[in-house]
């Protein structure tokens, strides 16, 4: 079995003087272990005869410590100040523990960490006497010559197949049992004392101040692993995590400083289920805070920056499942702004929610909390396929989609825990971009990206099932409502809503209005608010007796701001020929609130524009230009409808359409404005094709108000709905 290891500051990537080298030997230290005792109990295994002999890392989760024995003889070669290769020997330990199964003890006492092949750092394993008892995965190897410190960090400890067979439990071969971290002191025993200090191989330099592009890519996601569970099958809950590898595919080093420094990425982990064509999210975790880059090879020629505080260009960094599930590094999602990639230390969970930036991490946890929590009931679904998804969020990231990716996995219950096996190659981007009949990013995207996907199933007899998934990728303001247009007279049945939690009290309410269906949660600041946050997906479903057409759906934003909604094109049971505006630009006046997405439905969620007195006669004081795309460039009929009101008096409302044949605006309606909402429908006379641009299908309209003697300063216009019908 090939064990995955990642070396920080690998010397083959750093320049060094020809022939200069040193030989170092580990002399002392401590190894910290976190044993997953709850999960081991579920497997029928018990940790007994625990003998702690060392000082564990204080910030580790439920740590135990074992001293590195003075007889350790692990030696390695250093060139250019960086660890180049291991030479011989092992790390011997004092103390340990036993695993008890059916009255018999299996020893981890006085264990050694060895290499099956000292020339291959991917072959680390744990040995007791002459027997292999565990292997170590995703080791982060670090050597700091200036402080004579050697580390093997963040290793997943997995039961050796040899031990599993001796126990009569061969199915436990490869079962994760804990996490291990070695902190040791080394001393030089041979070589050139004048070996030069390491120099960054990249012109960017170790401080990464060069200007360029920062681009974190999810290079690999894998090893979905159960780290703990609570309850009895099939009614329990599981704490999972996955391994992730990042690669810097940009041109500038990326900050990777440990908390409480704010300059580091975080990793979101999600799990989805696909069953009978329905995609549902069944688990999320708190975000994992990055703390050290290994600057390993694997995605090109690594330009090592000479420090684990930066991820160098074309360098990789890997965290195993244990590290990505370690509560020491997991923090609340709400503390991250996904649009900027920024985490604020002051007042954070790591600071104990106090108004400073002092590290107060610690405490005890149950086996699943903060990890990727998934119910047995959501995994125990015959015929289902599952998708694990990881998502790196980093400041100033260039590409917001190559930092996410997914793989399909199978889930199987072993009788004591869940086991997962990869089924597909990795696909970049969120899972939702690979599901449904149509997928679109909502516009405008100034506030970040949200994605709407839909699957429409023909039920026969003129009836259709509409299945929508709404996922927030980088919208920090979150989404609190979702609306779908329907044609007049549409019969809607079987409305349903699904979120990620198990609390029915915060489910969104569904309402069928005259021209749309809307699901909405509690508004910002209200108890029970349950908006869609980044990395989270909700489902909305119904049946309708109308075939699908393309039309915009609406997404209401949760946190306060000028723009209150965004829209995404989808398949809907809307009226045939319905065309909504794609942009709404204020030409005259001041935007007070709302935007183009507020013009989708008659719902009293307005686009509001304050009036500005024009400098020309008969010019509007409020004017908004709409653009849209016609479904045909040779329409036989066209109408334009506007629902609007103004608190100015006297004013005239005006609607103009752009004539592409003459290059001029045509006023198609002008009338006295009203204080209450008025719906105006203009049926275009003559050839409607003059209002459609040849080649692009573009259409433009201007809507607004002309001041005819308003005697007060503060007034404006509001617009509730605007659309074309083109056939």
């Amino acid at each position: 079995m090939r064990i995955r290891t990642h070396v920080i500051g690998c010397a083959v990537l750093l320049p060094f003087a020809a022939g200069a080298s040193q030989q170092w030997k580990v002399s002392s230290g401590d190894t910290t272990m976190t044993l997953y005792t709850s999960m081991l109990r579920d497997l029928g295994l018990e940790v007994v005869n625990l003998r702690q002999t060392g000082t564990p890392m204080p910030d580790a989760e439920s740590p135990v410590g074992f001293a590195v024995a003075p007889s350790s003889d692990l030696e390695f070669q250093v060139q250019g100040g960086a660890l180049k290769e291991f030479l011989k020997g092992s790390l011997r330990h004092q103390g340990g523990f036993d695993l008890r199964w059916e009255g018999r003890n299996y020893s981890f006492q006085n264990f050694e960490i060895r290499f099956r092949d000292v020339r291959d750092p991917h072959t680390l394993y744990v040995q007791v006497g002459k027997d292999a008892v565990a292997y170590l995965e995703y080791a982060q190897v670090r050597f700091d010559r200036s402080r004579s410190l050697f580390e093997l960090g963040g290793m997943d400890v997995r039961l050796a197949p040899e031990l599993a067979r001796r126990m009569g439990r061969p199915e436990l071969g490869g079962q994760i049992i804990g996490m291990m971290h070695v902190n040791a002191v080394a001393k030089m025993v041979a070589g050139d004392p004048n070996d030069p200090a390491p120099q960054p191989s990249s012109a960017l330099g170790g401080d990464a101040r060069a200007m360029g592009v920062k681009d974190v890519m999810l290079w690999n996601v894998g090893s979905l692993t159960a780290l703990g569970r609570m309850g009895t099958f099939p009614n329990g809950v599981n704490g999972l995590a996955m391994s992730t590898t990042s690669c810097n595919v940009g041109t500038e080093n990326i900050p990777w400083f440990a908390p409480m420094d704010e300059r580091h990425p975080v990793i979101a982990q999600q799990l989805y289920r696909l069953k009978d064509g329905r995609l549902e999210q069944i688990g999320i975790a708190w975000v994992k805070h990055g703390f050290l880059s290994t600057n390993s090879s694997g995605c090109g020629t690594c330009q090592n920056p000479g420090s684990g505080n930066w991820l160098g260009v074309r360098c990789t960094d890997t965290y195993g499942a244990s590290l990505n599930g370690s509560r020491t590094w997991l923090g609340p999602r709400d503390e991250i702004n996904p649009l900027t990639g920024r985490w604020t230390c002051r007042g954070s969970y790591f600071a104990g929610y106090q108004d400073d930036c002092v590290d107060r991490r610690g405490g005890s946890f149950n086996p699943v909390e903060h990890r990727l929590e998934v119910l047995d009931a959501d995994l125990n679904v015959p015929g289902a396929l599952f998708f694990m998804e990881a998502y790196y969020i980093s400041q100033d990231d260039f590409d917001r989609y190559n930092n996410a990716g997914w793989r399909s996995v199978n889930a199987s219950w072993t009788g004591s825990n869940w086991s997962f096996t990869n089924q597909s190659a990795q696909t970049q981007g969120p899972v939702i971009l690979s599901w449904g009949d149509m997928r679109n990013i909502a516009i405008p995207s100034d506030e970040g990206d949200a994605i709407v996907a839909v699957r429409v199933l023909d039920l026969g007899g003129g009836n259709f099932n509409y299945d929508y998934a709404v996922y927030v990728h980088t919208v920090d303001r979150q989404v609190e409502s979702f609306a779908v247009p329907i044609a007049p007279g549409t019969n809607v049945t079987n409305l349903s809503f699904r979120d990620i939690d198990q609390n029915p009290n915060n489910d969104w309410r569904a309402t069928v209005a005259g021209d749309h269906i809307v699901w909405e949660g509690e508004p910002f600041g209200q108890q029970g608010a349950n908006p869609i946050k980044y990395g989270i997906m909700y489902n909305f479903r119904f049946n309708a007796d109308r075939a699908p057409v393309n039309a915009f759906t609406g997404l209401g934003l949760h946190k306060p701001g000028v723009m209150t909604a965004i829209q995404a094109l989808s398949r809907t049971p809307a009226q045939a020929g319905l065309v909504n505006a794609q942009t709404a630009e204020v030409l005259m006046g001041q935007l007070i609130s709302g935007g183009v997405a507020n013009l989708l439905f008659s719902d009293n969620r307005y686009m509001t524009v304050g009036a500005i007195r024009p400098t020309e006669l008969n010019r509007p004081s409020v004017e908004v230009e709409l653009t849209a795309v016609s479904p045909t460039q040779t329409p036989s009929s066209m109408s334009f409808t506007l629902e609007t009101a103004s608190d100015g008096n006297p004013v005239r409302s005006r609607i103009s359409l752009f004539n592409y044949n003459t290059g001029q605006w045509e006023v198609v309606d002008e009338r006295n404005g009203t204080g209450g909402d008025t719906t105006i429908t203009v049926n275009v006379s003559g050839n409607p094709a003059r209002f459609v641009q040849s080649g692009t299908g573009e259409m433009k309209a201007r809507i607004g108000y002309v001041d005819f003697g308003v005697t007060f300063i503060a007034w404006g216009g509001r617009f509730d709905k605007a659309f074309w019908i083109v056939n």
Side-chain angles (χ1 to χ4, degrees), residues 563-702:
M563 186 168 66
T564 59
I566 52 181
Q567 62 186 40
L569 190 66
S570 193
R571 301 288 284 164
T572 75
Q575 182 177 355
L578 174 67
V579 180
N580 299 113
Q582 296 186 9
T583 65
E585 180 185 1
V586 177
L587 301 181
M588 178 60 74
Q590 180 179 1
L591 179 64
I592 304 299
S593 65
V596 65
N598 296 87
L599 306 178
L600 294 177
F601 311 113
S602 179
D603 56 3
N604 297 330
R605 298 183 178 186
Y606 301 98
M607 179 180 182
T608 303
V609 180
I612 295 178
R613 193 175 300 276
T615 58
E616 302 176 44
L617 291 175
N618 201 34
R619 291 291 298 166
S621 297
V622 172
E623 189 170 44
V624 178
E625 182 171 304
L626 310 179
T627 62
V629 177
S630 171
T632 174
Q633 296 184 33
T634 57
S636 58
S637 65
M638 177 186 293
S639 66
F640 181 83
T641 297
L642 174 67
E643 184 178 345
T644 183
S646 173
D647 56 359
N649 186 33
V651 295
R652 299 272 288 176
S653 71
R654 179 181 292 173
I655 301 173
S656 303
L657 300 180
F658 189 73
N659 185 326
Y660 289 90
N661 292 339
T662 65
Q664 302 291 322
W665 288 93
E666 287 188 22
V667 177
V668 295
D669 187 85
E670 185 170 315
R671 65 183 68 193
N672 291 332
T674 61
D677 285 0
T678 298
T679 299
I680 305 165
T681 297
V682 177
N683 293 305
V684 172
S685 60
N687 182 7
R690 69 186 187 275
F691 296 124
V692 180
Q693 186 178 47
S694 177
T696 67
E698 180 187 72
M699 300 186 296
K700 293 194 291 188
R702 286 182 177 175

Side-chain angles (χ1 to χ4, degrees), residues 216-224 241-246 266-272 281 283-288 317 319-320 324 333 372 387-393 400-409 426-432 471 473 534-535:
V216 177
M217 180 178 182
L218 176 68
W219 195 253
N220 185 59
V221 59
S223 299
L224 184 62
M242 61 194 73
S243 65
T244 57
T245 299
S246 58
V266 297
I267 309 166
Q269 302 169 79
Q270 291 85 235
L271 189 66
Y272 301 81
Q281 191 175 63
I284 61 172
W286 280 24
V287 291
K288 155 68 186 308
D317 176 67
Y319 293 119
N324 281 339
R333 290 186 175 221
L372 180 53
F387 304 95
M388 59 177 172
E389 176 184 270
Y391 171 23
Y392 278 79
I393 301 172
R400 296 301 180 89
Y401 285 91
N402 69 358
N403 56 1
W406 58 271
R407 291 181 191 271
S408 63
V409 296
Q426 180 172 309
T427 299
Q428 296 303 123
V431 169
I432 193 173
Y471 166 88
H473 192 53
Y534 71 89

Side-chain angles (χ1 to χ4, degrees), residues 176-200:
I176 194 167
I177 63 172
M179 181 171 63
M180 181 183 290
H181 191 112
V182 177
N183 289 289
V185 175
K187 61 182 179 181
M188 192 178 76
V189 294
D192 182 358
N194 297 315
D195 181 38
Q199 299 295 323

Side-chain angles (χ1 to χ4, degrees), residues 349-366:
Y349 166 75
F350 286 172
Y353 297 117
Q354 297 191 32
D355 190 25
D356 57 31
C357 193
V358 176
D359 192 345
R360 296 183 178 87
R361 283 176 290 175
S364 59
F365 306 92
N366 68 41

Side-chain angles (χ1 to χ4, degrees), residues 202 204 208 212-219 245-256 293 295-305 310-317 392 394 396-398 402:
S202 168
L204 296 172
V213 173
K214 297 184 178 77
D215 193 358
V216 177
M217 180 178 182
L218 176 68
W219 195 253
T245 299
S246 58
C247 172
N248 180 357
V249 296
T251 61
E252 180 178 347
N253 292 350
I254 297 171
W256 222 268
S293 168
N295 287 307
S296 303
S297 58
C299 68
T301 301
C302 173
Q303 301 176 32
N304 198 305
W310 305 92
L311 179 64
V313 174
R314 287 293 169 180
C315 298
T316 65
D317 176 67
Y392 278 79
S394 181
D396 304 317
D397 198 24
F398 176 74
N402 69 358

Side-chain angles (χ1 to χ4, degrees), residues 528-581:
N530 179 30
I532 311 176
K533 303 174 183 179
Y534 71 89
I536 294 178
M537 187 186 83
Y538 288 178
N539 300 96
F540 308 86
R541 302 182 177 108
F542 61 89
N543 293 345
D545 60 351
R546 184 170 290 270
V549 297
N550 290 352
F552 280 100
T553 58
L555 294 80
L557 298 178
H558 182 61
K559 295 181 182 179
V562 173
M563 186 168 66
T564 59
I566 52 181
Q567 62 186 40
L569 190 66
S570 193
R571 301 288 284 164
T572 75
Q575 182 177 355
L578 174 67
V579 180
N580 299 113

